[in-house]
Amino acid sequence: VGFSTALSQTPSISSISSEGREDLQVNQLETQIWIKPDIQKTDVDFSEILNAIQEIAKDVNIFFDELEGVNSPSKDDDSLLHHGNLTSTSDDASRLEVVGEEVPNKNKTNGLYFRDGKCRIDYILVYRKSNPQTEKREVFERNIRAEGLQMEKESSLTNSDIIFVKLHAPWEVLGKYAELMNVRMPFRRKIYYLHRRYKFMNRIEKQISRFRGWLPRKPMKLDKETLPDLEENDCYTAPFSQQRIHHFIIHNKDTFFNNATRSRIVHHILQRVKYEEGKNKIGLNRLLSNGSYEAAFPLHEGSYRSKNSIKTHGAENHRHLLYECWASWGVWYKYQPLDLVRRYFGEKIGLYFAWLGWYTGMLFPAAFIGLFVFLYGVTTLNHCQVSKEVCQATDIIMCPICDKYCPFMRLSDSCIYAKVTHLFDNGATVFFAVFMAVWATVFLEFWKRRRAVIAYDWDLIDWEEEEEEIRPQFEAKYSKKERMNPISGKPEPYQAFADKCSRLIVSASGIFFMICVVIAAVFGIVIYRVVTVSTFAAFKWALIRNNSQVATTGTAVCINFCIIMLLNVVTSETLIIFFTEQPRTESEWENSFTLKMFLFQFVNLNSSTFYIAFFLGRFTGHPGAYLRLINRWRLEECHPSGCLIDLCMQMGIIMVLKQTWNNFMELGYPLIQNWWTRRKLRQEYGTQGKTSFPQWEKDYNLQPMNAYGLFDEYLEMILQFGFTTIFVAAFPLAPLLALLNNIIEIRLDAYKFVTQWRRPLASRAKDIGIWYGILEGIGILSVITNAFVIAVTSDFIPRLVYAYKYGPCAGQGEAGQKCMVGYVNASLSVFLVSDFENRSEPTSNGSEFSGSPLKYCRYRDYRDPPHSPVPYGYTLQFWHVLAARLAFIIVFEHLVFCIKHLISYLIPDLPKDLRDRMRREKYLIQEMMYEAELERLQKERKERKKNGKSYHNEWP
């Protein structure tokens, strides 16, 4: 019988000199078995010798730190690699090829297995032969084999310099590390407990079920026949234990651990393997950062497309199933298969899509109410007394809104803007603001309940994160000072308190500087608005000249959007990383980076909106005494119909443009990159070239996942949540736009994960992390901002004060449309045209309105007429409106906050049925463990009796 070894790269033990044997270092438990490939014939049974040697030497691990490259060929030697052919470096006896053994051809050709078609590829490492970090890589790969992982190498079909290292974890290694990592696996079918119900309730349920039978089937639910049986969701699980392996449901050892779990175990091993002598020279991440390896990723489970229909032939793999049931545009209206997403991508990504789906579902009632508020404004438009008065005010001449070039204008010219303002600022606006504040609280509280259910179904209730490794940057910075870790008891680098405080101060100063840059950009936009409105007022085109203020607002919003995206790209990530202090662990760094990045992006996106909402037209002075910027430019005034129209334009344009840009960058950029890669491959290998590539080659040509993980996805949605809630009183259609975007966003993200990105490593998480605290902060801020928008920006409070105090119904306790007669005239003050400043005096004298020069014009404010004892002083009505605004803000905030806290108190974090299921499961698991232990003791007792041994006082 002839044998061929997979370890031809390493020298035979007999070829090592005596000096070399003295340098051999024994470290862990296991050995490498070497068989010369030139042995052809013998009378000895090599399989028996091999098994004997493995039993004797299984606890030895030999490291060739100094002899590597002297007595053995290099791992990167071209003689060991063949273009497109596999070169094995496995040390497992089962990898030896026996003559006449049949290997599954399908597994050989699909690119998911080793050459033998039996060992599944669990992980891929990629490096270049021209990379100088050869020695570190050789030691690392040798220690990988010492841990029991099997390895094969293959050169790339497109570039001979690129080498793929394929790793496989055998059953023994998986079982060992699954026990160390406390991986929970199914061990008993769930027994569902149905509590006793009364006969009356049973009758009601029967009637409801009959009624449901008449209705059509739920179209949003996925067909259960197309989804695989996810066994772990129907079984009780427990941390895997090799001693109690007979308790677990193991139908097939090759599929007992799913692919995501296998990859996670292999990654766990790679993160703890040394590549060089030294305390901190350990882990795959450091090798990726120093360029020893170019990429590391688990494989996708084959192609996501199939020639056959999934309905007739079924899914070929989980990736194909995810594409058809989740990432395809044809299923945009269906629920997400979250269990399958979790099984393929891991709990962390599964939780993101669960949160995104929950957020999208909760947007339905908010979008419906917002659309109702808008339609209410449409239906009551013809009955609005204020709009009627504005449209009929042909005899009221308004003062110019800018210096010199802006003409006098009739109030009736702003009729269209008054009607548009009523669509968003009507009687239902206050109700909608209160509703959205309560909605944000309900959304967060019910998400906690939903997260608890998901955590229970996915076995995350008792999961605790492992002690994280120290970041390499932290080690390099503070390696001189050490102290004992209170958890592990090992010495580790230590950052002094003074150094930590100084870095926090520098970090806070850097973020403050970046926020000042954003404020400076907003200041530039303000200057653009005040300069451009005069330019547009003198424009040749009548359309722009007559709508100079709207044109100014529209162009300013577009320029503002370009500045927002420019600051995001140029300054955000680079400077945020630079100003982020040096936390000890990766999760601490992520939280610090997330908080700073969100703060910058939030200020960058919303600063101009805050200016329009709370500062535009508030500090302009009055005609004859305008306040000026740098004593030169007159501050911009609101439109005669109010400032809300500017805020609506700002929110609508920014929201639509940003969502469109984000969707293009999320999907369009990877699509273009992958298309360019496929184009180059087609030019070099023809149209059939890519189809013949193995799976690792196809995945390597895909785009890697973002270096910051799910940060960009969460950030986009959190900023949208803020845009939807903070100024929703001014733009009730924001939830509807967010809903439409999210329906597209879910499928875009799904398509990107399944088809355009390499498969990310499956990682675990119990919740969405620091983002939940940010959502709560946005919910609190939204209450405050909406109170100010209603009280300050809109005309709700002035109209209310006029109706109850100054209108026809004053003192009668009524506030209908008939009580608003004369409101427009009461909200406008009179100005004497001869009191204009020289630089503010318009070029026209207004003779086109009445045939003679105008003596008076009107402006929005509550001031005394010019011939009063105190010209242009504030009237009593102004102080009444100001007091009513402050009172409304206080009452609104306290009322909404009380409702929010009451809802938080009334809604428990855990549903009652989930709490009962958890208690019952705990009880059943205790019973099962007791029965299993009792069974073991009874077996031991029988064995003792058979052997003639007896003990007194045995139990049982």
Side-chain angles (χ1 to χ4, degrees):
V1 180
F3 288 86
S4 63
T5 180
L7 301 174
S8 58
Q9 303 165 348
T10 314
S12 61
I13 297 177
S14 61
S15 66
I16 301 176
S17 61
S18 59
E19 292 82 10
R21 290 194 184 96
E22 294 175 359
D23 293 332
L24 300 180
Q25 299 177 357
V26 178
N27 191 342
Q28 294 180 353
L29 304 178
E30 272 186 8
T31 188
Q32 314 292 339
I33 307 302
W34 314 101
I35 304 176
K36 283 189 174 182
D38 55 350
I39 297 178
Q40 298 288 338
K41 300 178 181 179
T42 180
D43 294 333
V44 184
D45 190 344
F46 273 94
S47 61
E48 294 181 2
I49 294 177
L50 187 60
N51 293 333
I53 293 175
Q54 283 183 325
E55 288 294 324
I56 295 170
K58 66 181 180 180
D59 294 336
V60 181
N61 184 11
I62 303 175
F63 285 80
F64 299 94
D65 288 337
E66 298 181 4
L67 294 181
E68 193 69 33
V70 178
N71 294 324
S72 64
S74 172
K75 298 292 184 299
D76 299 334
D77 192 352
D78 289 341
S79 62
L80 300 178
L81 295 168
H82 301 282
H83 191 74
N85 292 329
L86 299 174
T87 301
S88 173
T89 58
S90 171
D91 62 342
D92 192 89
S94 62
R95 296 282 296 110
L96 301 179
E97 297 180 6
V98 182
V99 176
E101 180 179 357
E102 295 184 359
V103 180
N105 293 326
K106 183 178 180 180
N107 291 346
K108 275 186 175 182
T109 58
N110 62 9
L112 300 176
Y113 290 82
F114 278 15
R115 189 178 184 184
D116 63 354
K118 296 179 180 178
C119 299
R120 188 176 187 91
I121 301 172
D122 298 321
Y123 213 81
I124 291 290
L125 303 177
V126 186
Y127 69 89
R128 293 182 180 270
K129 289 192 293 183
S130 57
N131 189 284
Q133 305 283 351
T134 303
E135 185 178 353
K136 295 179 182 179
R137 196 164 52 244
E138 290 173 356
V139 176
F140 184 73
E141 291 176 3
R142 191 164 56 251
N143 291 339
I144 287 175
R145 294 195 303 272
E147 290 291 338
L149 296 181
Q150 299 173 15
M151 185 186 303
E152 280 186 352
K153 291 186 179 181
E154 183 172 353
S155 61
S156 173
L157 295 175
T158 60
N159 188 349
S160 59
D161 188 45
I162 298 176
I163 306 300
F164 294 98
V165 181
K166 299 173 285 185
L167 301 177
H168 167 75
W171 169 259
E172 293 76 12
V173 176
L174 291 173
K176 172 185 173 182
Y177 279 95
E179 186 170 359
L180 292 175
M181 296 168 62
N182 291 322
V183 177
R184 299 183 69 90
M185 301 304 294
F187 74 94
R188 189 71 63 87
R189 289 282 181 182
K190 284 185 177 180
I191 303 173
Y192 293 99
Y193 175 72
L194 300 176
H195 59 279
R196 187 175 180 181
R197 294 180 178 269
Y198 294 102
K199 293 183 178 179
F200 177 72
M201 295 299 297
N202 288 334
R203 291 176 182 174
I204 293 179
E205 288 183 356
K206 288 181 180 179
Q207 296 297 328
I208 292 175
S209 61
R210 285 183 182 178
F211 178 72
R212 286 178 178 174
W214 298 336
L215 298 176
R217 295 183 179 180
K218 295 182 179 180
M220 292 184 292
K221 284 193 173 182
L222 291 166
D223 186 6
K224 294 183 179 180
E225 296 179 357
T226 61
L227 292 176
D229 181 21
L230 303 180
E231 188 175 59
E232 51 264 41
N233 291 338
D234 296 326
C235 297
Y236 295 119
T237 60
F240 183 77
S241 172
Q242 291 181 319
Q243 294 181 348
R244 295 188 175 93
I245 194 172
H246 54 280
H247 293 313
F248 293 90
I249 304 173
I250 304 177
H251 302 301
N252 187 350
K253 288 186 176 181
D254 294 335
T255 58
F256 179 64
F257 297 103
N258 60 45
N259 296 330
T261 304
R262 296 174 68 100
S263 300
R264 187 156 53 90
I265 291 174
V266 172
H267 182 78
H268 177 87
I269 296 172
L270 297 179
Q271 290 296 94
R272 286 153 180 80
V273 172
K274 282 196 170 186
Y275 60 86
E276 201 174 49
E277 286 300 326
K279 180 176 61 177
N280 300 322
K281 308 296 185 180
I282 184 174
L284 175 64
N285 285 346
R286 290 180 173 86
L287 290 177
L288 289 170
S289 61
N290 64 27
S292 297
Y293 287 100
E294 190 172 291
F297 53 89
L299 286 180
H300 278 295
E301 297 181 7
S303 175
Y304 64 90
R305 293 186 182 275
S306 176
K307 297 179 180 179
N308 303 319
S309 173
I310 191 174
K311 295 181 179 180
T312 57
H313 294 76
E316 294 189 357
N317 52 64
H318 283 170
R319 189 187 185 193
H320 179 216
L321 183 61
L322 280 172
Y323 177 77
E324 294 290 342
C325 299
W326 183 47
S328 177
W329 291 105
V331 293
W332 64 270
Y333 59 94
K334 290 185 177 292
Y335 294 130
Q336 300 182 86
L338 293 177
D339 290 330
L340 191 60
V341 174
R342 171 246 181 172
R343 183 169 186 171
Y344 193 83
F345 292 110
E347 286 80 2
K348 194 170 186 177
I349 294 177
L351 270 173
Y352 163 71
F353 281 103
W355 176 84
L356 181 57
W358 183 258
Y359 171 45
T360 304
M362 289 293 291
L363 279 174
F364 274 97
F368 176 77
I369 300 297
L371 183 61
F372 170 78
V373 171
F374 178 78
L375 294 178
Y376 173 80
V378 173
T379 55
T380 59
L381 184 60
N382 295 328
H383 305 286
C384 178
Q385 181 64 30
V386 177
S387 300
K388 287 182 180 179
E389 291 187 1
V390 170
C391 295
Q392 296 170 1
T394 56
D395 56 338
I396 297 178
I397 308 302
M398 302 297 294
C399 297
I401 59 176
C402 67
D403 293 337
K404 292 188 177 181
Y405 298 107
C406 291
F408 295 98
M409 59 178 294
R410 288 189 175 93
L411 180 60
S412 58
D413 293 342
S414 60
C415 176
I416 296 177
Y417 303 111
K419 291 182 177 180
V420 173
T421 301
H422 177 74
L423 298 180
F424 303 102
D425 184 13
N426 51 62
T429 303
V430 178
F431 161 74
F432 186 59
V434 176
F435 170 81
M436 286 303 297
V438 174
W439 173 88
T441 302
V442 171
F443 163 67
L444 293 176
E445 291 300 321
F446 276 93
W447 163 247
K448 285 195 291 186
R449 293 166 60 88
R450 173 63 176 160
R451 186 206 63 82
V453 174
I454 292 174
Y456 171 78
D457 291 337
W458 292 356
D459 287 323
L460 299 173
I461 295 292
D462 299 325
W463 178 76
E464 296 293 339
E465 293 190 43
E466 301 175 358
E467 179 65 18
E468 288 190 89
E469 296 180 358
I470 301 175
R471 298 179 68 238
Q473 296 86 340
F474 185 86
E475 288 178 341
K477 185 73 176 177
Y478 304 104
S479 58
K480 295 181 180 179
K481 294 183 180 181
E482 292 185 346
R483 73 172 183 178
M484 299 297 293
N485 187 309
I487 298 176
S488 63
K490 298 178 181 179
E492 66 178 19
Y494 167 68
Q495 183 182 14
F497 179 75
D499 183 78
K500 184 181 293 185
C501 290
S502 63
R503 285 190 170 273
L504 283 173
I505 293 173
V506 171
S507 175
S509 303
I511 299 301
F512 179 75
F513 168 76
M514 295 179 65
I515 292 176
C516 290
V517 172
V518 174
I519 295 175
V522 175
F523 185 75
I525 294 295
V526 172
I527 294 177
Y528 168 83
R529 293 174 69 105
V530 299
V531 171
T532 310
V533 66
S534 299
T535 305
F536 283 154
F539 213 73
K540 295 181 179 180
W541 295 350
L543 178 63
I544 295 179
R545 186 173 61 250
N546 297 333
N547 300 277
S548 59
Q549 198 165 14
V550 176
T552 300
T553 303
T555 55
V557 171
C558 294
I559 295 174
N560 182 33
F561 173 75
C562 296
I563 293 176
I564 289 172
M565 303 312 298
L566 184 64
L567 288 175
N568 287 347
V569 173
V570 174
T571 63
S572 59
E573 291 187 2
T574 305
L575 289 180
I576 289 292
I577 294 173
F578 178 77
F579 287 125
T580 300
E581 63 272 10
Q582 288 286 357
R584 175 177 167 272
T585 62
E586 196 67 30
S587 63
E588 293 175 359
W589 183 89
E590 287 181 1
N591 289 340
S592 177
F593 172 77
T594 298
L595 187 59
K596 293 177 176 60
M597 190 70 172
F598 167 76
L599 184 62
F600 172 78
Q601 295 263 19
F602 180 81
V603 174
N604 187 28
L605 181 65
N606 295 288
S607 55
S608 58
T609 310
F610 270 89
Y611 163 75
I612 293 175
F614 305 128
F615 297 98
L616 178 64
R618 303 283 177 267
F619 310 100
T620 58
H622 63 86
Y626 285 116
L627 297 178
R628 297 185 178 272
L629 200 63
I630 321 178
N631 198 27
R632 181 178 179 183
W633 294 297
R634 170 183 163 184
L635 291 176
E636 187 183 5
E637 292 186 45
C638 291
H639 197 273
S641 60
C643 296
L644 202 66
I645 187 66
D646 296 287
L647 185 59
C648 291
M649 288 182 63
Q650 172 81 13
M651 292 190 63
I653 295 175
I654 291 290
M655 196 169 187
V656 172
L657 289 180
K658 184 166 177 54
Q659 289 180 349
T660 304
W661 174 260
N662 287 338
N663 291 335
F664 170 76
M665 289 302 296
E666 281 191 7
L667 186 63
Y669 183 68
L671 274 174
I672 292 173
Q673 286 187 313
N674 291 332
W675 170 82
W676 184 256
T677 303
R678 291 194 300 268
R679 182 176 178 273
K680 291 192 297 184
L681 293 176
R682 281 196 301 267
Q683 289 178 351
E684 188 172 354
Y685 296 96
T687 57
Q688 299 298 326
K690 190 176 184 299
T691 57
S692 61
F693 287 162
Q695 188 63 42
W696 55 83
E697 191 100 26
K698 295 178 183 178
D699 287 4
Y700 177 70
N701 291 326
L702 296 177
Q703 297 303 308
M705 188 178 175
N706 193 309
Y708 307 108
L710 294 168
F711 171 79
D712 287 340
E713 278 72 22
Y714 273 118
L715 179 63
E716 179 188 353
M717 289 295 103
I718 299 300
L719 290 176
Q720 184 208 79
F721 177 81
F723 226 65
T724 304
T725 55
I726 291 177
F727 295 104
V728 73
F731 191 57
L733 293 180
L736 179 62
L737 294 179
L739 174 63
L740 298 176
N741 174 79
N742 287 7
I743 292 174
I744 300 173
E745 180 75 20
I746 290 176
R747 305 305 162 182
L748 280 180
D749 285 348
Y751 184 83
K752 178 177 59 179
F753 271 93
V754 174
T755 67
Q756 301 302 312
W757 278 1
R758 296 173 190 164
R759 185 177 184 178
L761 180 71
S763 54
R764 310 198 84 191
K766 294 182 69 172
D767 49 33
I768 61 176
I770 193 175
W771 295 109
Y772 185 83
I774 293 175
L775 286 170
E776 287 186 325
I778 292 176
I780 295 173
L781 180 62
S782 67
V783 177
I784 301 173
T785 53
N786 281 301
F788 275 88
V789 166
I790 296 173
V792 177
T793 310
S794 73
D795 289 338
F796 175 77
I797 298 299
R799 293 175 186 176
L800 209 62
V801 171
Y802 177 81
Y804 284 101
K805 184 68 177 176
Y806 297 96
C809 305
Q812 300 179 12
E814 296 181 11
Q817 291 297 327
K818 64 179 181 178
C819 300
M820 298 304 297
V821 176
Y823 167 76
V824 173
N825 185 61
S827 64
L828 298 176
S829 300
V830 180
F831 177 73
L832 186 64
V833 174
S834 60
D835 292 341
F836 267 121
E837 300 172 300
N838 290 331
R839 53 182 172 179
S840 297
E841 189 173 359
T843 55
S844 64
N845 58 7
S847 58
E848 64 271 15
F849 296 105
S850 60
S852 60
L854 285 176
K855 293 184 179 181
Y856 300 98
C857 65
R858 310 291 293 273
Y859 62 98
R860 283 174 56 91
D861 209 342
Y862 297 100
R863 292 182 181 269
D864 291 325
H867 302 295
S868 62
V870 183
Y872 308 116
Y874 287 118
T875 62
L876 182 63
Q877 188 176 356
F878 169 82
W879 299 110
H880 284 164
V881 171
L882 180 62
R885 283 172 169 168
L886 295 177
F888 175 82
I889 291 172
I890 295 173
V891 172
F892 182 88
E893 289 182 356
H894 282 71
L895 175 64
V896 175
F897 279 131
C898 288
I899 296 174
K900 285 168 68 69
H901 287 298
L902 179 63
I903 292 174
S904 300
Y905 175 77
L906 294 177
I907 301 177
D909 293 345
L910 284 178
K912 184 179 182 304
D913 59 338
L914 177 61
R915 188 181 294 110
D916 294 340
R917 286 164 59 190
M918 292 172 61
R919 290 175 180 174
R920 177 162 178 79
E921 179 173 339
K922 184 177 180 181
Y923 167 76
L924 291 176
I925 289 176
Q926 290 177 349
E927 291 291 322
M928 294 173 189
M929 299 299 290
Y930 173 76
E931 292 175 1
E933 190 66 19
L934 186 64
E935 183 180 354
R936 185 184 65 81
L937 292 175
Q938 288 176 347
K939 288 182 179 179
E940 291 181 358
R941 182 179 182 184
K942 291 179 181 178
E943 290 178 357
R944 292 194 192 105
K945 286 183 178 181
K946 289 182 181 179
N947 296 332
K949 297 180 181 180
S950 61
Y951 298 94
H952 298 289
N953 299 325
E954 290 187 10
W955 178 261

